[in-house]
Structure formats: C-alpha cells, structure tokens
Amino acid sequence: TESKGEIVRRLLSQFVARRPDDRIAFMPFGTQPLPVVPFTRHGELIQAGLAAAGQGRGLPDTRLDRGLLAAIEEFRGRPYAGSRIVLVVSDGGAVLDEPTRRRVADGLRRERIGLYWIYIRSGPNSPSLLGDGEAPLGAYESTEELALHRFFLSLSTPYRLFQTDDAQAMAQAIAEIDRQQNFPLSFHERVPRRDFSAACFAAALLACAGLLAVHALRLRDWRAGTRARAEAA
C-alpha cells in the first residue's frame, strides 16, 4: 500500500535514526539539486527534510549529474575525519557527457568519497543492471541506467550498486550499507577540562550561610543596644 517514495523515505529515516553520531546532508534532485539540509549531526533536521520531501508530487526528471556534482561539492573544505559516501537513491539514470564524467570522477577522487547507488526499478520494463544469465552486462548499453552504471564501474573510487525491485530489497540494501559503513568516526567536541560546578555550589552555600550568620549577629547587637539605651533612660 506504500508508494515508492514513501518506502524510500521510511527506510532512510530509520537509517538516519540508527546513526546519531554521523554527519549527514540531504539533497533531493530533479532538474536541479535542492540542498535542503547541509552537513549536520542533528538527525531531527534530516528527518524533517525527509518528511518535507513527501509533500506534493515528486520532482520532475532526474538530472543525476547535477545532483552528484552538488553532493560532491558539499565535502569541499571539510576535514577528513572518517568514511565518506554519497548515497544516491534513484529510479533512473542520466546521460553524462565526457567533461561531466571527468568532473564527477575527479571530485570523488579528490574528496575521497565512496559512491552507493540504490537503483529502484519501476517495473518489468525497466532495464536490469545485474545482467541476465550469461548475457553480457552491456547487452542494454543504450539505456541511460546501464551506461551510467558502467561509468561508475570505471571509477577509481569505491562504488557499489544495489538494484531493488520491492520494499524488502530496498530494506536489505539500506541494512547492508549500514553494516559496511560502520568505521570509527573522529570529531572534535569542546568540553570543560574539569567540572567545578559542585565546588562552586558548595562555595555559594557557605557564602550564603556566612551572610545569614552575619545578619543574625547584627540583629542581636541591634536589639542589645536598644535594650541598653532603654534601661539607661
């Protein structure tokens, strides 16, 4: 009963929830990439972006080349502190000219990014990228999807294809990516060297006790002085 988009958003939402320490960016793309959420460790922002992507009709067309280049650019200038991947979820391919192929390949290599493509087949008429029996992988070279897949295979950086035909296959692909991308992540977090809050509260309590003691002594001295003046009169 779920639509293709609903399944994708639900599984990606679970993926984000399982990785609270990751830095994740979210960027839908159609004819143009939409940088909804830049890199953040606040998973609730990514969850909100996923929920917003489900409003209305889906984005027209699939300019995957522009989406890829924009995703690679998000890594520029960021310190390398752990495994880096671009996870593309798409039901179609794209025709990349030679200059665009060079830019994608150079960007992935420069930023040391691995590429995962979850290819969602829309139906039996959609091309399979896994081959068919003993048929060569390039039997349908004319299709955009297979041409894109073969380009990704030629990259010098890590690449993995997941072809999904139903919700179960999609869930298995997400689980496998979650399992593979489980390397240590280093990051800097500024924290106090020591927690002096207990000592500060104790000092404040002693100071308050001292003030109360001084106040009580001054009150007794004032009463004693008043009584002495009354007796003298």
Side-chain angles (χ1 to χ4, degrees):
T1 58
E2 286 183 296
S3 69
K4 181 171 55 178
E6 290 171 340
I7 294 171
V8 170
R9 286 188 296 274
R10 173 171 59 81
L11 293 173
L12 288 178
S13 176
Q14 296 171 3
F15 176 79
V16 171
R18 289 194 298 267
R19 308 177 72 90
D21 294 323
D22 281 12
R23 272 59 173 174
I24 301 177
F26 176 59
M27 184 183 298
F29 62 91
T31 55
Q32 293 289 342
L34 301 175
V36 174
V37 183
F39 274 109
T40 179
R41 64 174 297 185
H42 299 292
E44 62 273 14
L45 297 179
I46 303 296
Q47 301 287 9
L50 287 168
Q55 304 300 317
R57 297 175 59 87
L59 296 174
D61 300 327
T62 307
R63 290 302 305 269
L64 202 149
D65 53 339
R66 295 178 179 177
L68 265 178
L69 291 172
I72 293 170
E73 192 63 24
E74 285 290 307
F75 290 91
R76 183 182 292 273
R78 295 183 60 85
Y80 189 88
S83 180
R84 293 180 166 190
I85 68 167
V86 169
L87 173 58
V88 178
V89 184
S90 175
D91 59 358
V95 177
L96 307 186
D97 55 26
E98 190 57 31
T100 301
R101 291 189 176 200
R102 286 197 298 267
R103 290 178 61 193
V104 169
D106 292 344
L108 292 173
R109 182 173 56 255
R110 181 186 65 248
E111 304 296 342
R112 293 183 284 178
I113 304 171
L115 177 62
Y116 286 91
W117 183 17
I118 297 181
Y119 167 56
I120 305 174
R121 292 188 69 191
S122 300
N125 294 326
S126 297
S128 173
L129 307 186
L130 302 180
D132 184 10
E134 297 182 356
L137 189 63
Y140 302 98
E141 185 71 30
S142 60
T143 65
E144 293 183 355
E145 292 80 6
L146 190 52
L148 186 66
H149 173 54
R150 292 184 66 85
F151 162 62
F152 288 158
L153 286 174
S154 70
L155 294 170
S156 61
T157 48
Y159 165 64
R160 176 75 184 273
L161 168 73
F162 292 93
Q163 180 171 292
T164 61
D165 299 279
D166 51 34
Q168 182 179 0
M170 177 71 184
Q172 291 174 348
I174 293 292
E176 179 62 17
I177 295 172
D178 190 26
R179 185 189 66 81
Q180 291 185 11
Q181 296 298 320
N182 197 25
F183 302 106
L185 176 69
S186 62
F187 57 91
H188 297 280
E189 184 175 354
R190 188 180 296 276
V191 296
R193 291 189 176 185
R194 293 181 60 186
D195 184 7
F196 292 105
S197 59
C200 291
F201 286 133
L205 181 61
L206 289 175
C208 290
L211 289 174
L212 289 174
V214 171
H215 178 72
L217 291 174
R218 290 184 61 189
L219 185 62
R220 284 197 296 270
D221 290 344
W222 177 77
R223 288 177 176 176
T226 302
R227 188 180 300 111
R229 288 193 295 271
E231 291 175 353

